[in-house]
């Protein structure tokens, strides 16, 4: 049965609604970044760029790095955009754009987030790199999908207890990255950790400018929590949604973090662009191996 017009939306040229892409435009390896300006900072290393398109915050370029075809796409900030990006990326490979039916054979994408992040552990310094082995999401996105089978409920429960989690906030969920991609992208110079994904940048990450927080000890409690000897290492705004939806849809995902702030030490990188550029080069090299 074809999917209805209101559910899977195609533009007049047949492309998918927000990303504005046709299946032929997408590579099977997709790098996701938050900032649209970061797309070119990646593709300037490419041998060749074959395609570029931008709609809203979603800017895509597809090309080749050392002969490997890669799409680079900006998502803007936050898990709400990840819901759009992951569903439309999946549609590009797993829905037939002519018949509008789900294909019988499912294709798995390799999805690599290259983003910035703040460490909450003193010993993970600014300008270091960190791979998210798993993520804890405070965004609630995954609970809209049938997803309990991919969540670590025991972990989330212990976490909620440790923080005395305020019930009006979305229930935390815990999901893992792709073991295969982590194995491919890791090296002794890169930290591995557990990333907390927040629904905002200020209050939801414990920042106080002018208004009081529901729990002004949240970051201390995040930093002191441990489950099976695993501590929460860093904060950002997309990883849990990328990991959760990738797993549900059958894609492989990894989140590569450039640590540009250390919230525990109160420090910020002197040259965050440089740190991001180095993480880009590191990630491209590992991918091309
Ligand atoms: C907040 O400043 C943004 O920076 C981080 C957060 O996840 C959020 O998107 O990542 P990016 O640098 O990839 O956007």
């Amino acid at each position: 049965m074809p999917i209805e017009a209101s559910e899977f939306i195609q533009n007049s040229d047949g492309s998918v609604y927000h990303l504005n892409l046709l299946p032929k435009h997408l590579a099977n390896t997709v790098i996701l970044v938050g900032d649209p300006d970061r797309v070119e900072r990646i593709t300037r290393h490419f041998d060749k760029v074959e395609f570029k398109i931008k709609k809203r915050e979603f800017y895509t370029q597809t090309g080749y790095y050392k002969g490997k075809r890669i799409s680079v796409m900006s998502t803007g900030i936050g898990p709400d955009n990840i819901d759009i990006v992951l569903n439309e990326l999946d549609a590009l490979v797993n829905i037939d754009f002519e018949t509008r039916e789900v294909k019988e054979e499912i294709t798995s994408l390799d999805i690599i987030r290259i983003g910035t992040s703040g460490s909450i552990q003193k010993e993970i310094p600014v300008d270091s790199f960190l791979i998210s082995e798993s993520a804890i999401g405070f965004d609630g996105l995954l609970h809209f999908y049938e997803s309990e089978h991919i969540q670590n409920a025991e972990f989330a429960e212990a976490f909620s207890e440790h923080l005395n989690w305020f019930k009006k906030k979305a229930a935390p969920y815990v999901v893992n990255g792709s073991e295969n991609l982590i194995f491919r992208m890791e090296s002794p110079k890169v930290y591995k950790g557990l990333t907390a994904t927040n629904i905002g940048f200020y209050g939801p990450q414990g920042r106080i400018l002018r208004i009081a927080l529901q729990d002004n000890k949240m970051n201390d409690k995040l930093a002191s929590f441990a489950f099976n000897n695993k501590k929460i290492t860093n904060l950002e705004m997309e990883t849990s949604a990328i990991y959760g939806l990738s797993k549900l849809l059958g894609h492989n995902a990894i989140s590569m973090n450039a640590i540009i702030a250390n919230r525990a030490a109160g420090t910020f990188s002197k040259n965050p662009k440089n740190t991001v550029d180095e993480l880009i080069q590191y990630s491209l090299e590992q991918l091309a191996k």
Side-chain angles (χ1 to χ4, degrees):
M1 278 285 286
I3 304 173
E4 285 178 300
S6 59
E7 311 305 294
F8 169 51
I9 306 168
Q10 287 176 283
N11 301 313
S12 54
D13 62 355
S15 63
V16 66
Y17 190 40
H18 298 93
L19 301 184
N20 232 17
L21 299 172
L22 289 166
K24 65 178 181 192
H25 298 139
L26 189 74
N28 280 6
T29 299
V30 184
I31 295 178
L32 300 181
V33 298
D35 182 356
D37 287 345
R38 200 176 299 149
V39 172
E40 246 136 53
R41 296 184 82 83
I42 296 178
T43 57
R44 69 182 176 179
H45 299 287
F46 278 21
D47 323 327
K48 181 175 119 186
V49 171
E50 63 179 27
F51 175 80
K52 297 182 187 184
I53 199 153
K54 186 169 190 292
K55 187 176 182 186
R56 297 179 182 241
E57 55 269 69
F58 309 113
Y59 182 28
T60 305
Q61 293 194 10
T62 296
Y64 292 84
Y65 179 75
K66 294 194 174 167
K68 186 179 177 72
R69 190 165 184 252
I70 300 176
S71 292
V72 185
M73 178 182 297
S74 60
T75 68
I77 289 178
D80 46 353
N81 286 347
I82 296 302
D83 182 61
I84 289 172
V85 169
L86 261 291
N87 276 290
E88 293 192 6
L89 280 178
D90 182 72
L92 283 160
V93 287
N94 290 321
I95 293 176
D96 185 317
F97 273 42
E98 300 299 323
T99 64
R100 302 172 50 82
E101 288 182 18
V102 175
K103 292 181 184 170
E104 276 184 15
E105 203 173 311
I106 295 303
T107 299
S108 285
L109 299 168
D110 283 345
I111 298 171
I112 300 101
R113 168 184 180 265
I114 300 182
T116 59
S117 177
S119 157
I120 58 167
Q121 303 292 350
K122 272 214 169 94
E123 64 275 15
I124 301 177
V126 290
D127 303 324
S128 59
F129 304 157
L130 184 143
I131 288 175
S132 310
E133 283 184 302
S134 47
I136 179 159
F138 308 139
D139 50 280
L141 175 68
L142 211 62
H143 299 309
F144 287 89
Y145 295 92
E146 194 181 289
S147 60
E148 287 190 348
H149 59 290
I150 64 154
Q151 297 185 31
N152 186 337
E154 217 189 323
F155 190 132
E157 232 165 78
F159 173 84
S160 297
E161 206 169 294
H162 181 84
L163 268 85
N164 193 16
W165 193 251
F166 189 44
K167 292 261 181 316
K168 287 184 180 172
K169 296 176 184 170
Y173 62 88
V174 178
V175 280
N176 293 330
S178 152
E179 280 179 23
N180 279 346
L181 274 182
I182 292 170
F183 183 70
R184 263 174 60 195
M185 301 296 281
E186 69 185 356
S187 80
K189 69 180 245 191
V190 180
Y191 289 91
K192 287 195 282 186
L194 163 56
T195 297
T197 298
N198 305 77
I199 189 74
F201 185 78
Y202 289 96
Q205 291 186 33
R207 288 187 171 91
I208 304 173
L209 299 187
R210 278 204 333 110
I211 45 177
L213 303 179
Q214 178 271 325
D215 181 359
N216 61 12
K217 292 268 181 291
M218 184 180 80
N219 281 9
D220 294 340
K221 291 192 250 173
L222 281 177
S224 64
F225 173 70
F227 186 78
N228 288 342
N229 293 322
K230 288 214 183 291
K231 282 191 156 191
I232 297 175
T233 47
N234 62 306
L235 311 180
E236 53 70 78
M237 296 178 63
E238 291 85 18
T239 300
S240 62
I242 295 172
Y243 280 9
L245 290 182
S246 294
K247 194 136 280 178
L248 288 177
L249 292 161
H251 304 299
N252 310 307
I254 187 170
S255 175
M256 309 290 298
N257 302 272
I259 302 296
I260 59 167
N262 187 306
R263 303 290 306 287
T267 52
F268 194 78
S269 170
K270 299 229 167 9
N271 198 341
K273 273 203 167 149
N274 188 48
T275 307
V276 172
D277 282 340
E278 282 178 7
L279 180 61
I280 288 169
Q281 284 177 55
Y282 172 85
S283 303
L284 286 174
E285 277 312 304
Q286 295 293 111
L287 278 175
K289 271 185 187 169

